[in-house]
Amino acid sequence: MPPDSIYRSAWSNPEIETFRAGVRRFVTAELLPHEEAWKTQQHVDPAAWRKAGELGLLLTDLGEEWGGGGGTFAHEAVVAEELVYAGISSFGNAVHSIVAHYLHNHATDEQRRRWLPRMASGELIAAIAMSEPGAGSDLQGITTRAERHGDHYVLNGSKTFISNGYNANLVCVVAKTEPAKGARGTSLLMVETAGLPGYRVGRILEKLGQKGQDTCELFFEDCRVPASALLGPAEGLGFAQLMQELPYERTLIAVQAVAAIERAVGLTVDYTKQRKVFGKPLFDMQNTRFTLAEARTMAHVARVFLDSCIERLIRGELDTVTASMAKWWTTDLQCQVIDECVQLHGGYGYMLEYPITQMYADARVQRIYGGANEIMKEIIARSL
Ligand SMILES: Cc1cc2nc3c(=O)[nH]c(=O)nc-3n(C[C@H](O)[C@H](O)[C@H](O)COP(=O)(O)OP(=O)(O)OC[C@H]3O[C@@H](n4cnc5c(N)ncnc54)[C@H](O)[C@@H]3O)c2cc1C
């Protein structure tokens, strides 16, 4: 789906567009035919991860020495965009990439060697477990505890809303290693869950949208994990590690939001041109034309802002405040534009067999996860 026939993102180039064509072929041949079945079963088949790995579509922006594609965030953006353009909301590549970045930027070489190549091949599927039933926005309130016993940690607690939760076999768990120290007593543990006694995946949660995405509860009951699961050189660095990766994950969400806006506008232009009302195409009504002209303008403004974030992220210069602006503003806009597009579809816009309806349901959570948009505004306001 070419978002714009005149404008071209400065971060793109012929090599990236060739890569995009390959991603599109993979998405069309290997993911799209299964999307409906995955929505019914509420999770992706792990085989799809291994196929994506074989084709070099996982960890595209990490070095080849770690099994990655040797590219930049531009490659990650292309994968995220192509999934959205195709209407795939089940394949949780974004979370996988975010965990890979925690590892790449904060792990020891030994830890990177242990996990990154297997993540790149799709053998390991990653999740990040921060949220708990009693603590989401206020992460300092988590109660999951990792207690050191010799060369092991004993992990106890429960997490909820964890994306990739059903399929994941590598979970980045946010836990308190020294509860009395608050944020400075919080650490990240990389937990390989296959066959781990005391680890249990709860039900796959029934959601409004993103139905093929396995969002789960996770339970840790006296789980003994090796001390080498601790991310980084010392305990207590968890919050700092989480903070440092915020621009990356917030930009990825904004990429998804802008791609969704572009797709929604394209779908609605097509629909209104073929739908007849009062003897002429719906598109010919002034309200339709103006609504879509406004939506197209907003898509373009969002694209230009996003592109500047992508370019700065590639250069390693994107700050958390700007990334928070991109996250809240593009996801709010995504919901606003898609709502207008649903309206222009009339009753068909309420029928789940229409892509715009699914996009409406998929969009809502974008304002809630990855840090609720109100949290984004708090972060921006603190900088004023
Ligand atoms: C589909 C889905 C996937 C998710 N995936 C993951 C995942 O992979 N890993 C993970 O750890 N978590 C995940 N989450 C959890 C998500 O990050 C949290 O839901 C989110 O951070 C909000 O936390 P909460 O639900 O506890 O809401 P609360 O913290 O209870 O907040 C509720 C609302 O209160 C308002 N609010 C909160 N704090 C403030 C404030 N300081 N100022 C003003 N208003 C405020 C906001 O409007 C917020 O939406 C996912 C959630 C969903 C729904």
Side-chain angles (χ1 to χ4, degrees), residues 72-123:
T72 69
F73 185 77
H75 296 81
E76 282 296 304
V78 164
V79 174
E81 284 177 355
E82 289 301 318
L83 290 170
V84 173
Y85 292 155
I88 309 279
S89 61
S90 52
F91 194 71
N93 185 50
V95 167
H96 191 71
S97 296
I98 291 164
V99 174
H101 271 256
Y102 285 132
L103 275 172
H104 183 258
N105 297 340
H106 305 288
T108 62
D109 272 357
E110 190 282 315
Q111 289 175 319
R112 291 190 191 112
R113 272 194 298 275
R114 200 185 327 159
W115 290 308
L116 288 174
R118 287 192 287 152
M119 287 180 72
S121 71
E123 178 196 332

Side-chain angles (χ1 to χ4, degrees), residues 6-294:
I6 305 164
Y7 174 82
R8 285 279 172 271
S9 299
W11 52 265
S12 192
N13 59 38
E15 184 270 312
I16 302 259
E17 290 313 307
T18 304
F19 175 74
R20 181 188 294 282
V23 175
R24 192 169 296 181
R25 276 195 299 278
F26 170 77
V27 167
T28 310
E30 304 289 350
L31 302 185
L32 201 52
H34 305 289
E35 179 70 1
E36 282 312 308
W38 290 340
K39 281 181 178 167
T40 306
Q41 70 183 25
Q42 295 181 292
H43 65 89
V44 166
D45 288 328
W49 283 89
R50 284 191 293 275
K51 279 187 188 150
E54 276 164 28
L55 288 174
L57 305 185
L58 303 176
L59 277 50
T60 60
D61 58 353
L62 293 189
E64 288 167 10
E65 67 273 33
W66 309 116
T72 69
F73 185 77
H75 296 81
E76 282 296 304
V78 164
V79 174
E81 284 177 355
E82 289 301 318
L83 290 170
V84 173
Y85 292 155
I88 309 279
S89 61
S90 52
F91 194 71
N93 185 50
V95 167
H96 191 71
S97 296
I98 291 164
V99 174
H101 271 256
Y102 285 132
L103 275 172
H104 183 258
N105 297 340
H106 305 288
T108 62
D109 272 357
E110 190 282 315
Q111 289 175 319
R112 291 190 191 112
R113 272 194 298 275
R114 200 185 327 159
W115 290 308
L116 288 174
R118 287 192 287 152
M119 287 180 72
S121 71
E123 178 196 332
L124 288 178
I125 300 171
I128 174 138
M130 305 186 223
S131 307
E132 298 183 358
S137 305
D138 181 12
L139 269 189
Q140 301 212 19
I142 63 161
T143 57
T144 295
R145 178 86 167 92
E147 217 171 332
R148 183 80 185 245
H149 290 265
D151 58 358
H152 279 78
Y153 284 100
V154 177
L155 196 56
N156 277 291
S158 62
K159 298 289 179 178
T160 194
F161 303 141
I162 306 308
S163 305
N164 290 350
Y166 179 82
N167 275 332
N169 44 13
L170 180 66
V171 182
C172 177
V173 180
V174 183
K176 292 259 169 80
T177 36
E178 220 174 324
K181 283 193 174 168
R184 286 176 200 278
T186 304
S187 304
L188 306 186
L189 277 89
M190 303 298 305
V191 181
E192 285 202 57
T193 56
L196 179 67
Y199 174 69
R200 189 165 64 81
V201 178
R203 63 203 169 96
I204 303 182
L205 300 166
E206 192 77 48
K207 303 193 295 297
L208 170 66
Q210 304 194 359
K211 300 263 188 193
Q213 183 28 252
D214 44 326
T215 312
C216 290
E217 298 168 314
L218 306 180
F219 300 95
F220 302 87
E221 207 179 306
D222 290 330
C223 288
R224 280 169 64 83
V225 296
S228 61
L230 179 73
L231 186 65
E235 289 181 4
L237 301 175
F239 261 94
Q241 292 164 340
L242 290 172
M243 295 300 155
Q244 200 177 315
E245 300 310 317
L246 293 179
Y248 185 89
E249 53 190 79
R250 290 184 180 160
T251 307
L252 256 187
I253 293 177
V255 168
Q256 294 168 333
V258 173
I261 295 167
E262 291 165 344
R263 178 172 189 242
V265 175
L267 287 171
T268 311
V269 169
D270 290 348
Y271 177 81
T272 54
K273 284 189 173 173
Q274 59 82 26
R275 175 72 177 170
K276 295 268 188 322
V277 291
F278 299 95
K280 57 183 180 181
L282 171 57
F283 184 79
D284 288 353
M285 297 285 179
Q286 191 187 52
N287 176 65
T288 310
R289 298 171 66 76
F290 283 12
T291 301
L292 288 172
E294 287 172 14

